[in-house]
Amino acid sequence: MNVYVLRLGHRIARDKRISTHCGLVARAFGAAGIIYSGERDSKLIESIEHVCKIWGNRFDVSYERNWKKVVERFSKHGIVVHLTMYGLPLYDMLGEIKRKGKDILVVVGGEKVPAELYKIATYNVSIGTQPHSEIAAIAIFLHELFEGKELTKEFEDAKIKIVPQKSGKKTIKINKSLS
């Protein structure tokens, strides 16, 4: 089962950090890639690709102008999980989502989410019923989906790695050039 994230409505002037963090969290918490819709932003894609180059992991980053095409294409072979505070509770839906055993497209909003998405998503799932960040929603959903195993994942092709310690910061280079 592969998981991809679709970030709706990226706006360069307003969302560059939020959208970047959606990608970084998706990558760190086990997703296979992220797709952005909204305004095309090559710097956003380059930023996440640079993290992947240094910290490892095969992680797809792409842009698609039309979010609906992404959802329709994905619906043919996988399921679409729209994370919204208006959906059914995560813990009520998680077992059913896992049992499907299909690839998952996780959709999170940016600007106002089109009403049509609520109708065409396989599942509208709430992480909670209060306003919250799409970054937090991605992290919680992936953490629960992967049962916490993503937290100990070793990333392929990493050129640098953190050495956990009680105090301070320590990294090591992994026999590869950082260029």
Side-chain angles (χ1 to χ4, degrees), residues 7-168:
R7 165 79 161 114
L8 298 177
H10 171 70
R11 298 160 291 179
I12 295 171
R14 183 169 177 203
D15 295 334
K16 60 185 171 190
R17 288 184 57 91
I18 296 294
S19 294
T20 299
H21 289 169
C22 284
L24 294 177
V25 166
R27 176 193 159 275
F29 280 72
I34 189 164
I35 304 150
Y36 294 95
S37 71
E39 296 177 6
R40 183 184 297 272
D41 187 351
S42 59
K43 288 183 180 179
L44 169 64
I45 292 172
E46 289 170 13
S47 176
I48 295 172
E49 287 176 342
H50 178 72
V51 168
C52 294
K53 181 179 177 183
I54 302 300
W55 292 92
N57 201 21
R58 296 183 195 328
F59 184 77
D60 298 324
V61 185
S62 63
Y63 169 80
E64 174 65 52
R65 186 180 61 81
N66 187 330
W67 67 267
K68 189 175 175 186
K69 285 184 181 178
V70 176
V71 171
E72 288 172 347
R73 194 169 50 236
F74 206 90
S75 294
K76 293 177 183 174
H77 71 279
I79 60 174
V80 177
V81 176
H82 173 217
L83 298 181
T84 171
M85 63 186 190
Y86 302 106
L88 297 172
L90 172 65
Y91 292 115
D92 292 350
M93 303 309 301
L94 197 56
E96 185 175 331
I97 291 167
K98 287 181 178 183
R99 280 190 298 279
K100 295 261 184 189
K102 294 183 175 183
D103 288 347
I104 300 170
L105 178 67
V106 176
V107 184
V108 293
E111 59 187 334
K112 186 175 178 179
V113 173
E116 185 176 16
L117 178 59
Y118 289 88
K119 295 175 186 165
I120 63 177
T122 314
Y123 300 100
N124 290 291
V125 174
S126 69
I127 299 302
T129 57
Q130 296 294 314
H132 59 277
S133 158
E134 54 268 41
I135 299 164
I138 293 168
I140 291 169
F141 179 81
L142 293 175
H143 180 70
E144 293 300 321
L145 181 70
F146 295 127
E147 300 172 355
K149 295 175 184 140
E150 79 287 352
L151 297 178
T152 58
K153 179 180 176 181
E154 293 285 329
F155 289 98
E156 293 180 25
D157 302 325
K159 294 176 183 168
I160 192 169
K161 183 177 178 179
I162 291 175
V163 178
Q165 51 186 15
K166 183 177 178 179
S167 172

